[in-house]
Amino acid sequence: MPVINQLPLITQVSGGNNIVLWVPDQGDSRRASITTLIEYIEANFDGVVCNTVQTTPRTFAQLPSAVGLAGARAFITDGSTATFGATVAGGGANKVPVYSDGAVWKVG
């Protein structure tokens, strides 16, 4: 059986295609059609997308490099500044949300 990175790439998807999902309350993997998945997302859009998002607080040193990650977001517990839009480093006492502009992490 091939491992996941040895499977051929999909070039076209239709509603009848299946996708494998891990179902924790069933304790194993199950399959669902793309159509079923889309119907679920549409029916539960508010619950899936529009509620709050919680990220795990971490120190600045635990963040990956901001280079090439424009739009990535995180929450740090040791920010050097709390000024919105300022470039941030670690070692401070500020608990702040941060985002990558593709080059550095900034408060926001």
Side-chain angles (χ1 to χ4, degrees), residues 12-98:
Q12 188 174 4
V13 176
S14 67
N17 291 134
N18 288 314
I19 187 166
V20 176
L21 303 170
W22 173 253
V23 185
D25 57 339
Q26 298 292 327
D28 61 7
S29 297
R30 302 289 169 107
R31 62 185 170 88
S33 71
I34 299 293
T35 302
T36 300
L37 186 58
I38 290 170
E39 288 170 356
Y40 175 82
I41 291 170
E42 288 173 346
N44 296 281
F45 187 80
D46 286 338
V48 173
V49 176
C50 296
N51 287 330
T52 62
V53 175
Q54 184 175 358
T55 57
T56 303
R58 56 191 67 244
T59 63
F60 183 82
Q62 291 174 303
L63 296 176
S65 169
V67 175
L69 291 180
R73 301 188 61 79
F75 188 90
I76 61 171
T77 58
D78 65 342
S80 58
T81 181
T83 303
F84 184 84
T87 298
V88 68
N94 298 292
K95 295 180 170 108
V96 292
V98 295

